């Protein structure tokens, strides 16, 4: 992954401003990645106080799962919540 140009950052910010209000209410309360006002400490608190009788966990690095997103499926899912101009 390369370093974003200033133009890319402006475009990404504009897209975030448009999409965040649409999708934020749809996220589960156990989703902590890259969300405004939520961080890893919130996730750790959820685990500490919310998980009872858990005897083991599995740690998985899913970063590479997003390298090849099927854009047809993504756009179909987004179309349920966004108008055509946003897509």
């Amino acid at each position: 992954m390369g370093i974003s140009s200033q133009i890319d950052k402006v475009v990404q910010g504009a897209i975030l401003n448009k999409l965040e209000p649409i999708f934020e209410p749809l996220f589960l309360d156990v989703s902590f990645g890259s969300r405004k006002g939520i961080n890893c400490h919130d996730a750790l608190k959820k685990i500490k106080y919310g998980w009872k009788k858990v005897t083991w966990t599995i740690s998985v690095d899913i970063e590479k799962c997003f390298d090849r997103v099927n854009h047809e499926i993504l756009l179909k899912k987004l179309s349920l919540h966004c108008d055509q101009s946003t897509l």
Side-chain angles (χ1 to χ4, degrees):
M1 183 164 87
I3 298 173
S4 298
S5 71
Q6 293 296 345
I7 293 171
D8 288 343
K9 290 177 183 179
V10 170
V11 172
Q12 290 167 0
I15 292 170
L16 176 65
N17 288 338
K18 178 77 173 175
L19 295 180
E20 189 174 49
I22 296 168
F23 289 101
E24 183 63 30
L26 303 175
F27 292 141
L28 300 175
D29 67 345
V30 293
S31 174
F32 295 94
S34 301
R35 291 176 63 195
K36 187 188 297 184
I38 300 174
N39 59 40
C40 63
H41 297 286
D42 296 308
L44 292 171
K45 287 177 194 170
K46 183 80 168 181
I47 292 168
K48 182 176 181 178
Y49 300 113
W51 293 17
K52 305 297 180 197
K53 299 182 181 179
V54 174
T55 56
W56 55 274
T57 62
I58 298 173
S59 176
V60 179
D61 182 357
I62 63 168
E63 182 179 358
K64 296 294 180 190
C65 292
F66 300 100
D67 285 352
R68 295 191 178 139
V69 172
N70 183 316
H71 288 93
E72 185 177 322
I73 293 172
L74 177 62
L75 289 173
K76 187 174 183 178
K77 296 288 186 182
L78 288 173
S79 71
L80 299 173
H81 306 283
C82 298
D83 59 21
Q84 189 61 37
S85 64
T86 301
L87 292 175

